[in-house]
Amino acid sequence: RIVTGGAGAGGAGGTQPGGGWADYCVSVTLFPDLAGDQDGSIGVVLRHLDARNHYRVSLVRLGSSGPHVVVLWKYVAGRRIELGRTDTITPLPESYPIKMCASGPYLAVYKSNTLVLAYADLHDGPKAGSYLASGGAGLTCSGRTCKFDDFLIEPTPAPLAVSPSRILIPEATGAA
C-alpha cells in the first residue's frame, strides 16, 4: 500500500510529489521485518503518478514461510505486471541497501551498488505498453513493521550504467 504523506492501516508509505521528475534514482536502506508476514513486502516507488500507475521494486516474502526475493513491478491502471525478480535471498539480512534508477524507458535496481535487475520498457509485448515517463518517488510497506533509513533522491547518472546484456527486454507477441 502506498499512502501519500503519511501512514495508513495495514501498511505505511509515502510519496514525494514530483510529477515532472523523469530521470532519477531513489536509494534507501530497508530494514525488513517480514517474519511471519503472508506476502509481506517493503520497497521503493518510482515515477509515481498515483496508486494505480507507477513502478515499484520490493523485497518480498513469498508466503508466510517462503523465501525472500526482490521483485520489479509496473502498475498500469491498477494492473500489476511483474517485470523481473532476483534469485532467493538467504539468509535475509538485517538491512538491505537498495537503489532504483530510471532513465527514459530503462530501469535498473542495485543492491549495495551491484546491479541485480534491469528492464527496458520498450515494446508493446505482454509486459509492456507505453512506459511511465515521469512521476514522484516514495516508499512502500505491506508488512507489520517497516523501517527505512538514508532515503535519497538524485538525478540518474547519464547514461544509465546498465550493460545491454543485463537488460530484460520484453518480446513482442506478434498478436494483432
Side-chain angles (χ1 to χ4, degrees):
R1 174 178 170 143
I2 302 169
V3 183
T4 302
T15 60
Q16 173 64 41
W21 293 355
D23 297 341
Y24 63 98
C25 296
V26 175
S27 58
V28 65
T29 300
L30 308 175
F31 294 89
D33 183 12
L34 304 177
D37 283 344
Q38 179 70 29
D39 298 323
S41 68
I42 180 172
V44 176
V45 177
L46 207 68
R47 293 186 174 167
H48 180 269
L49 301 175
D50 55 44
R52 297 173 46 87
N53 297 282
H54 59 272
Y55 293 104
R56 179 185 303 188
V57 64
S58 294
L59 178 59
V60 176
R61 181 172 194 146
L62 303 175
S64 60
S65 61
H68 296 86
V69 295
V70 174
V71 182
L72 175 60
W73 286 296
K74 177 182 180 179
Y75 287 74
V76 177
R79 182 173 157 239
R80 182 171 78 177
I81 304 161
E82 183 175 316
L83 302 178
R85 69 171 57 193
T86 64
D87 293 332
T88 301
I89 301 164
T90 332
L92 182 65
E94 185 176 312
S95 64
Y96 196 89
I98 196 164
K99 182 178 193 176
M100 183 175 178
C101 296
S103 179
Y106 300 99
L107 303 169
V109 179
Y110 303 87
K111 193 256 184 200
S112 300
N113 294 317
T114 300
L115 182 69
V116 294
L117 284 171
Y119 191 81
D121 203 357
L122 297 174
H123 304 290
D124 289 329
K127 297 181 180 180
S130 54
Y131 73 92
L132 304 173
S134 64
L139 304 170
T140 182
C141 169
S142 69
R144 292 182 301 209
T145 305
C146 294
K147 297 177 186 174
F148 306 90
D149 197 10
D150 303 321
F151 182 68
L152 176 66
I153 302 170
E154 58 190 340
T156 297
L160 188 58
V162 176
S163 165
S165 64
R166 299 285 304 266
I167 295 177
L168 304 171
I169 299 177
E171 294 182 23
T173 61

Short mmCIF file of all heavy atoms in Angstrom, two decimals, residues 12-56:
data_model
loop_
_atom_site.label_atom_id
_atom_site.label_comp_id
_atom_site.label_asym_id
_atom_site.label_seq_id
_atom_site.Cartn_x
_atom_site.Cartn_y
_atom_site.Cartn_z
N ALA A 12 2.34 1.17 5.54
CA ALA A 12 2.80 2.54 5.64
C ALA A 12 3.54 2.89 4.38
O ALA A 12 3.96 2.03 3.64
CB ALA A 12 3.70 2.72 6.86
N GLY A 13 3.69 4.14 4.16
CA GLY A 13 4.45 4.56 3.00
C GLY A 13 4.27 6.03 2.79
O GLY A 13 3.66 6.72 3.58
N GLY A 14 4.79 6.51 1.71
CA GLY A 14 4.63 7.91 1.39
C GLY A 14 5.26 8.18 0.05
O GLY A 14 6.11 7.43 -0.40
N THR A 15 4.79 9.21 -0.61
CA THR A 15 5.39 9.59 -1.88
C THR A 15 5.71 11.06 -1.86
O THR A 15 5.06 11.84 -1.17
CB THR A 15 4.45 9.31 -3.07
OG1 THR A 15 3.25 10.05 -2.88
CG2 THR A 15 4.14 7.83 -3.19
N GLN A 16 6.73 11.41 -2.59
CA GLN A 16 7.11 12.81 -2.75
C GLN A 16 6.53 13.28 -4.07
O GLN A 16 6.81 12.70 -5.10
CB GLN A 16 8.63 12.94 -2.77
CG GLN A 16 9.14 14.32 -3.10
CD GLN A 16 8.76 15.35 -2.07
OE1 GLN A 16 8.81 15.08 -0.89
NE2 GLN A 16 8.35 16.51 -2.50
N PRO A 17 5.68 14.32 -4.05
CA PRO A 17 5.14 14.79 -5.32
C PRO A 17 6.29 15.17 -6.26
O PRO A 17 7.25 15.77 -5.84
CB PRO A 17 4.34 16.03 -4.94
CG PRO A 17 4.09 15.90 -3.48
CD PRO A 17 5.23 15.11 -2.92
N GLY A 18 6.17 14.78 -7.49
CA GLY A 18 7.21 15.08 -8.45
C GLY A 18 6.77 14.70 -9.84
O GLY A 18 7.46 13.98 -10.53
N GLY A 19 5.59 15.14 -10.22
CA GLY A 19 5.01 14.76 -11.49
C GLY A 19 5.91 15.04 -12.67
O GLY A 19 5.84 14.37 -13.68
N GLY A 20 6.81 16.02 -12.55
CA GLY A 20 7.70 16.35 -13.64
C GLY A 20 9.03 15.63 -13.58
O GLY A 20 9.84 15.77 -14.49
N TRP A 21 9.28 14.85 -12.54
CA TRP A 21 10.54 14.13 -12.43
C TRP A 21 10.56 13.01 -13.44
O TRP A 21 9.62 12.23 -13.54
CB TRP A 21 10.72 13.55 -11.04
CG TRP A 21 10.87 14.55 -9.94
CD1 TRP A 21 10.96 15.90 -10.06
CD2 TRP A 21 10.93 14.26 -8.56
NE1 TRP A 21 11.08 16.47 -8.83
CE2 TRP A 21 11.07 15.49 -7.88
CE3 TRP A 21 10.90 13.10 -7.81
CZ2 TRP A 21 11.17 15.56 -6.50
CZ3 TRP A 21 10.99 13.18 -6.44
CH2 TRP A 21 11.14 14.40 -5.80
N ALA A 22 11.65 12.90 -14.20
CA ALA A 22 11.72 11.87 -15.24
C ALA A 22 12.87 10.89 -14.99
O ALA A 22 12.65 9.72 -14.74
CB ALA A 22 11.86 12.51 -16.61
N ASP A 23 14.10 11.37 -15.05
CA ASP A 23 15.27 10.52 -14.92
C ASP A 23 15.92 10.76 -13.57
O ASP A 23 16.60 11.77 -13.37
CB ASP A 23 16.26 10.80 -16.05
CG ASP A 23 15.66 10.47 -17.42
OD1 ASP A 23 14.68 9.71 -17.46
OD2 ASP A 23 16.18 10.97 -18.43
N TYR A 24 15.70 9.83 -12.64
CA TYR A 24 16.25 9.99 -11.29
C TYR A 24 16.41 8.64 -10.62
O TYR A 24 15.91 7.63 -11.10
CB TYR A 24 15.37 10.92 -10.44
CG TYR A 24 13.96 10.44 -10.19
CD1 TYR A 24 13.64 9.79 -9.00
CD2 TYR A 24 12.94 10.66 -11.10
CE1 TYR A 24 12.34 9.37 -8.74
CE2 TYR A 24 11.64 10.25 -10.85
CZ TYR A 24 11.35 9.60 -9.67
OH TYR A 24 10.06 9.19 -9.42
N CYS A 25 17.15 8.64 -9.51
CA CYS A 25 17.37 7.44 -8.70
C CYS A 25 16.83 7.67 -7.30
O CYS A 25 16.90 8.79 -6.77
CB CYS A 25 18.86 7.14 -8.57
SG CYS A 25 19.69 6.72 -10.10
N VAL A 26 16.32 6.62 -6.72
CA VAL A 26 15.89 6.63 -5.32
C VAL A 26 16.70 5.56 -4.61
O VAL A 26 16.73 4.41 -5.06
CB VAL A 26 14.39 6.32 -5.18
CG1 VAL A 26 14.00 6.21 -3.72
CG2 VAL A 26 13.56 7.38 -5.87
N SER A 27 17.38 5.93 -3.54
CA SER A 27 18.09 4.93 -2.76
C SER A 27 17.62 5.01 -1.31
O SER A 27 17.24 6.08 -0.82
CB SER A 27 19.61 5.13 -2.86
OG SER A 27 19.98 6.40 -2.42
N VAL A 28 17.66 3.86 -0.65
CA VAL A 28 17.20 3.77 0.74
C VAL A 28 17.75 2.48 1.34
O VAL A 28 18.03 1.53 0.61
CB VAL A 28 15.64 3.79 0.81
CG1 VAL A 28 15.04 2.56 0.16
CG2 VAL A 28 15.15 3.98 2.23
N THR A 29 17.92 2.48 2.63
CA THR A 29 18.25 1.24 3.33
C THR A 29 16.95 0.71 3.92
O THR A 29 16.27 1.42 4.66
CB THR A 29 19.29 1.46 4.43
OG1 THR A 29 20.48 1.99 3.83
CG2 THR A 29 19.63 0.17 5.15
N LEU A 30 16.61 -0.52 3.55
CA LEU A 30 15.41 -1.18 4.06
C LEU A 30 15.80 -2.03 5.26
O LEU A 30 16.85 -2.67 5.26
CB LEU A 30 14.81 -2.09 2.99
CG LEU A 30 14.56 -1.50 1.61
CD1 LEU A 30 14.08 -2.58 0.65
CD2 LEU A 30 13.54 -0.38 1.70
N PHE A 31 14.95 -2.03 6.27
CA PHE A 31 15.12 -2.89 7.42
C PHE A 31 13.92 -3.83 7.47
O PHE A 31 12.92 -3.54 8.11
CB PHE A 31 15.25 -2.07 8.71
CG PHE A 31 16.49 -1.23 8.75
CD1 PHE A 31 16.49 0.05 8.24
CD2 PHE A 31 17.66 -1.74 9.28
CE1 PHE A 31 17.64 0.83 8.26
CE2 PHE A 31 18.82 -0.97 9.30
CZ PHE A 31 18.81 0.31 8.78
N PRO A 32 14.01 -4.95 6.74
CA PRO A 32 12.85 -5.83 6.63
C PRO A 32 12.59 -6.59 7.91
O PRO A 32 13.50 -7.13 8.52
CB PRO A 32 13.24 -6.78 5.50
CG PRO A 32 14.72 -6.78 5.48
CD PRO A 32 15.15 -5.42 5.97
N ASP A 33 11.35 -6.57 8.34
CA ASP A 33 10.90 -7.38 9.46
C ASP A 33 9.67 -8.12 8.96
O ASP A 33 8.54 -7.79 9.30
CB ASP A 33 10.57 -6.51 10.66
CG ASP A 33 10.15 -7.33 11.88
OD1 ASP A 33 10.33 -8.56 11.86
OD2 ASP A 33 9.61 -6.74 12.83
N LEU A 34 9.91 -9.09 8.08
CA LEU A 34 8.81 -9.77 7.40
C LEU A 34 8.53 -11.14 7.99
O LEU A 34 7.80 -11.94 7.41
CB LEU A 34 9.14 -9.90 5.91
CG LEU A 34 9.46 -8.59 5.18
CD1 LEU A 34 9.85 -8.85 3.74
CD2 LEU A 34 8.31 -7.62 5.26
N ALA A 35 9.08 -11.42 9.18
CA ALA A 35 8.88 -12.73 9.80
C ALA A 35 7.39 -12.96 10.03
O ALA A 35 6.71 -12.15 10.66
CB ALA A 35 9.64 -12.79 11.12
N GLY A 36 6.90 -14.06 9.49
CA GLY A 36 5.50 -14.43 9.70
C GLY A 36 4.51 -13.70 8.82
O GLY A 36 3.34 -14.05 8.80
N ASP A 37 4.93 -12.67 8.10
CA ASP A 37 4.00 -11.94 7.23
C ASP A 37 3.67 -12.79 6.01
O ASP A 37 4.56 -13.33 5.37
CB ASP A 37 4.61 -10.62 6.74
CG ASP A 37 4.57 -9.53 7.78
OD1 ASP A 37 3.83 -9.68 8.77
OD2 ASP A 37 5.30 -8.53 7.61
N GLN A 38 2.40 -12.90 5.68
CA GLN A 38 1.97 -13.57 4.46
C GLN A 38 2.13 -12.58 3.32
O GLN A 38 1.45 -11.56 3.29
CB GLN A 38 0.51 -14.01 4.59
CG GLN A 38 -0.04 -14.71 3.37
CD GLN A 38 0.55 -16.10 3.15
OE1 GLN A 38 0.94 -16.76 4.09
NE2 GLN A 38 0.64 -16.51 1.90
N ASP A 39 3.08 -12.84 2.40
CA ASP A 39 3.32 -11.97 1.26
C ASP A 39 3.68 -10.54 1.68
O ASP A 39 3.30 -9.59 1.02
CB ASP A 39 2.12 -11.94 0.31
CG ASP A 39 1.83 -13.31 -0.27
OD1 ASP A 39 2.81 -14.03 -0.55
OD2 ASP A 39 0.66 -13.66 -0.43
N GLY A 40 4.39 -10.37 2.80
CA GLY A 40 4.82 -9.05 3.23
C GLY A 40 5.86 -8.48 2.29
O GLY A 40 6.57 -9.21 1.61
N SER A 41 5.93 -7.14 2.21
CA SER A 41 6.91 -6.52 1.34
C SER A 41 7.31 -5.15 1.87
O SER A 41 6.58 -4.53 2.65
CB SER A 41 6.37 -6.39 -0.09
OG SER A 41 5.33 -5.45 -0.14
N ILE A 42 8.47 -4.70 1.43
CA ILE A 42 8.98 -3.38 1.77
C ILE A 42 9.77 -2.91 0.55
O ILE A 42 10.49 -3.70 -0.06
CB ILE A 42 9.86 -3.42 3.05
CG1 ILE A 42 10.41 -2.05 3.40
CG2 ILE A 42 10.98 -4.44 2.92
CD1 ILE A 42 11.13 -2.00 4.75
N GLY A 43 9.61 -1.64 0.16
CA GLY A 43 10.31 -1.23 -1.04
C GLY A 43 10.22 0.22 -1.42
O GLY A 43 9.89 1.08 -0.61
N VAL A 44 10.52 0.48 -2.71
CA VAL A 44 10.66 1.82 -3.28
C VAL A 44 9.69 1.97 -4.45
O VAL A 44 9.46 1.03 -5.20
CB VAL A 44 12.11 2.02 -3.79
CG1 VAL A 44 12.28 3.36 -4.46
CG2 VAL A 44 13.10 1.86 -2.65
N VAL A 45 9.16 3.18 -4.61
CA VAL A 45 8.26 3.51 -5.71
C VAL A 45 8.92 4.59 -6.56
O VAL A 45 9.50 5.54 -6.02
CB VAL A 45 6.90 3.99 -5.17
CG1 VAL A 45 5.98 4.40 -6.29
CG2 VAL A 45 6.27 2.93 -4.31
N LEU A 46 8.83 4.45 -7.87
CA LEU A 46 9.44 5.40 -8.80
C LEU A 46 8.41 5.78 -9.86
O LEU A 46 7.57 4.97 -10.23
CB LEU A 46 10.63 4.72 -9.47
CG LEU A 46 11.77 5.59 -9.95
CD1 LEU A 46 12.51 6.21 -8.78
CD2 LEU A 46 12.76 4.76 -10.75
N ARG A 47 8.52 7.02 -10.32
CA ARG A 47 7.60 7.55 -11.35
C ARG A 47 6.14 7.33 -10.95
O ARG A 47 5.31 6.88 -11.71
CB ARG A 47 7.92 6.95 -12.71
CG ARG A 47 9.28 7.44 -13.23
CD ARG A 47 9.54 6.97 -14.63
NE ARG A 47 10.78 7.56 -15.14
CZ ARG A 47 11.39 7.15 -16.22
NH1 ARG A 47 10.88 6.17 -16.93
NH2 ARG A 47 12.50 7.73 -16.62
N HIS A 48 5.87 7.67 -9.71
CA HIS A 48 4.55 7.50 -9.10
C HIS A 48 3.60 8.60 -9.58
O HIS A 48 3.80 9.77 -9.28
CB HIS A 48 4.69 7.55 -7.58
CG HIS A 48 3.42 7.39 -6.84
ND1 HIS A 48 2.64 8.46 -6.48
CD2 HIS A 48 2.80 6.29 -6.39
CE1 HIS A 48 1.59 8.02 -5.83
NE2 HIS A 48 1.66 6.71 -5.75
N LEU A 49 2.61 8.21 -10.37
CA LEU A 49 1.56 9.16 -10.78
C LEU A 49 0.41 9.10 -9.79
O LEU A 49 -0.15 10.12 -9.41
CB LEU A 49 1.07 8.82 -12.19
CG LEU A 49 2.16 8.85 -13.27
CD1 LEU A 49 1.60 8.38 -14.60
CD2 LEU A 49 2.76 10.24 -13.39
N ASP A 50 0.05 7.89 -9.37
CA ASP A 50 -0.97 7.66 -8.35
C ASP A 50 -0.83 6.19 -7.93
O ASP A 50 0.04 5.48 -8.43
CB ASP A 50 -2.38 8.00 -8.85
CG ASP A 50 -2.76 7.27 -10.13
OD1 ASP A 50 -2.49 6.04 -10.23
OD2 ASP A 50 -3.33 7.91 -11.02
N ALA A 51 -1.70 5.72 -7.03
CA ALA A 51 -1.60 4.36 -6.52
C ALA A 51 -1.81 3.31 -7.60
O ALA A 51 -1.44 2.15 -7.43
CB ALA A 51 -2.60 4.15 -5.39
N ARG A 52 -2.35 3.69 -8.73
CA ARG A 52 -2.65 2.75 -9.81
C ARG A 52 -1.64 2.80 -10.96
O ARG A 52 -1.72 1.99 -11.88
CB ARG A 52 -4.06 3.01 -10.34
CG ARG A 52 -5.13 2.77 -9.27
CD ARG A 52 -6.52 3.18 -9.73
NE ARG A 52 -6.89 2.73 -11.05
CZ ARG A 52 -7.44 1.55 -11.33
NH1 ARG A 52 -7.68 0.69 -10.37
NH2 ARG A 52 -7.78 1.24 -12.58
N ASN A 53 -0.70 3.77 -10.94
CA ASN A 53 0.24 3.95 -12.04
C ASN A 53 1.62 4.33 -11.50
O ASN A 53 1.82 5.48 -11.10
CB ASN A 53 -0.27 5.04 -12.99
CG ASN A 53 -1.58 4.67 -13.63
OD1 ASN A 53 -1.63 3.88 -14.57
ND2 ASN A 53 -2.68 5.22 -13.10
N HIS A 54 2.55 3.37 -11.52
CA HIS A 54 3.91 3.61 -11.04
C HIS A 54 4.76 2.36 -11.26
O HIS A 54 4.25 1.31 -11.62
CB HIS A 54 3.92 3.99 -9.55
CG HIS A 54 3.31 2.93 -8.66
ND1 HIS A 54 1.97 2.88 -8.38
CD2 HIS A 54 3.86 1.88 -8.01
CE1 HIS A 54 1.72 1.86 -7.58
NE2 HIS A 54 2.86 1.22 -7.34
N TYR A 55 6.07 2.50 -11.02
CA TYR A 55 6.99 1.37 -10.95
C TYR A 55 7.28 1.13 -9.47
O TYR A 55 7.36 2.08 -8.69
CB TYR A 55 8.30 1.65 -11.68
CG TYR A 55 8.16 1.79 -13.18
CD1 TYR A 55 8.20 3.04 -13.79
CD2 TYR A 55 8.00 0.67 -13.99
CE1 TYR A 55 8.09 3.17 -15.16
CE2 TYR A 55 7.88 0.79 -15.37
CZ TYR A 55 7.92 2.04 -15.95
OH TYR A 55 7.81 2.16 -17.31
N ARG A 56 7.49 -0.14 -9.12
CA ARG A 56 7.78 -0.47 -7.72
C ARG A 56 8.80 -1.59 -7.68
O ARG A 56 8.72 -2.55 -8.45
CB ARG A 56 6.50 -0.94 -7.02
CG ARG A 56 6.70 -1.33 -5.57
CD ARG A 56 5.45 -1.91 -4.95
NE ARG A 56 4.34 -0.99 -5.04
CZ ARG A 56 3.17 -1.17 -4.43
NH1 ARG A 56 2.97 -2.25 -3.70
NH2 ARG A 56 2.20 -0.29 -4.57
#
